[in-house]
Amino acid sequence: EDKVVQSPLSLVVHEGDTVTLNCSYEVTNFRSLLWYKQEKKAPTFLFMLTSSGIEKKSGRLSSILDKKELFSILNITATQTGDSAVYLCAGGYPGAGSYQLTFGKGTKLSVIP
Amino acid sequence: DSGVTQTPKHLITATGQRVTLRCSPRSGDLSVYWYQQSLDQGLQFLIQYYNGEERAKGNILERFSAQQFPDLHSELNLSSLELGDSALYFCASSVGGVGELFFGEGSRLTVL
């Protein structure tokens, strides 16, 4: 059975800290690793990684994928209170004429002033 | 705003009842996915439709069913509701193929 495991499950940091969120996966026919941020309701897309070793960056957020070791990390530098959210990662794979995502349970990040 | 619209936003009902959740995908997206999110289970995939056809099934109970209509909106029907069905139900859409899903705001179902 496919699984995606995130760690830690929760994290409390102070503004300005740098955090690293971990995601390991075992997904059959794996094609991509996606990161989402979920604040109050809808998960919003952050990154999709398909190639190993290539870092993707967006402002203070960056992510990298290691397809050999089957994991990804999401880094957030100079954290702000607005970064407080649940961060979800998902392994993507092609299904029968469709594309599927298996999600981890998320890491709840709390940034305190 | 992702462009995916879900109604109703909140729903409170009693055990044994039946409810219908509705989703309108982003303009141009042919794939619709339904997910259930409860506190201890995370996002669980239920079912996916592509251009009106069922394409994949996940952990969907037999009491649940869905369909996608010619105008591409989708409905998720939940029947014989139990307390454990209380959750946030998300609809997501995508163009199809390899790419990110865009999520609606969710429908929070509370079964009393």
Side-chain angles (χ1 to χ4, degrees):
Chain A
E1 184 180 330
D2 293 342
K3 62 179 179 179
V4 175
V5 179
Q6 294 185 244
S7 64
L9 290 180
S10 66
L11 192 56
V12 180
V13 301
H14 287 94
E15 267 192 318
D17 288 349
T18 293
V19 298
T20 298
L21 309 183
N22 303 295
C23 174
S24 65
Y25 62 90
E26 292 178 27
V27 175
T28 306
N29 296 324
F30 172 85
R31 294 292 172 86
S32 61
L33 193 291
L34 291 86
W35 285 95
Y36 284 82
K37 178 182 182 182
Q38 186 175 21
E39 293 179 81
K40 290 182 181 178
K41 288 284 184 73
T44 53
F45 173 76
L46 294 175
F47 296 111
M48 182 169 72
L49 304 117
T50 56
S51 300
S52 196
I54 297 177
E55 185 181 51
K56 286 214 171 180
K57 292 194 75 170
S58 176
R60 295 176 295 102
L61 278 66
S62 64
S63 183
I64 196 161
L65 174 66
D66 185 329
K67 292 173 82 170
K68 181 179 178 183
E69 299 298 329
L70 307 184
F71 78 89
S72 174
I73 59 172
L74 176 67
N75 282 317
I76 308 175
T77 60
T79 52
Q80 303 171 356
T81 54
D83 295 327
S84 296
V86 175
Y87 290 84
L88 300 165
C89 77
Y93 60 96
S98 68
Y99 190 71
Q100 301 299 325
L101 295 181
T102 297
F103 282 87
K105 292 190 178 182
T107 292
K108 182 177 181 181
L109 174 64
S110 300
V111 182
I112 54 178
Chain B
D1 183 3
S2 67
V4 178
T5 304
Q6 289 188 248
T7 58
K9 287 185 171 33
H10 301 276
L11 195 53
I12 301 174
T13 189
T15 55
Q17 295 299 305
R18 172 189 169 96
V19 299
T20 297
L21 310 180
R22 182 188 167 102
C23 169
S24 293
R26 292 189 321 157
S27 177
D29 284 358
L30 301 179
S31 272
V32 170
Y33 300 74
W34 286 97
Y35 284 85
Q36 179 192 58
Q37 188 176 43
S38 52
L39 276 173
D40 57 344
Q41 290 297 319
L43 270 170
Q44 297 288 310
F45 170 66
L46 296 178
I47 197 164
Q48 184 227 348
Y49 282 83
Y50 179 84
N51 202 21
E53 292 184 6
E54 180 186 305
R55 285 298 179 93
K57 262 187 175 181
N59 301 317
I60 188 166
L61 300 171
E62 286 190 12
R63 300 183 284 108
F64 297 179
S65 64
Q67 54 184 327
Q68 186 179 29
F69 295 86
D71 66 353
L72 300 179
H73 91 271
S74 177
E75 292 181 357
L76 179 67
N77 300 297
L78 315 175
S79 61
S80 302
L81 286 167
E82 303 175 359
L83 296 178
D85 298 327
S86 296
L88 197 50
Y89 290 85
F90 284 108
C91 168
S93 73
S94 74
V95 172
V98 177
E100 69 264 32
L101 305 188
F102 295 87
F103 285 81
E105 293 290 306
S107 293
R108 181 168 294 283
L109 173 66
T110 302
V111 182
L112 300 175

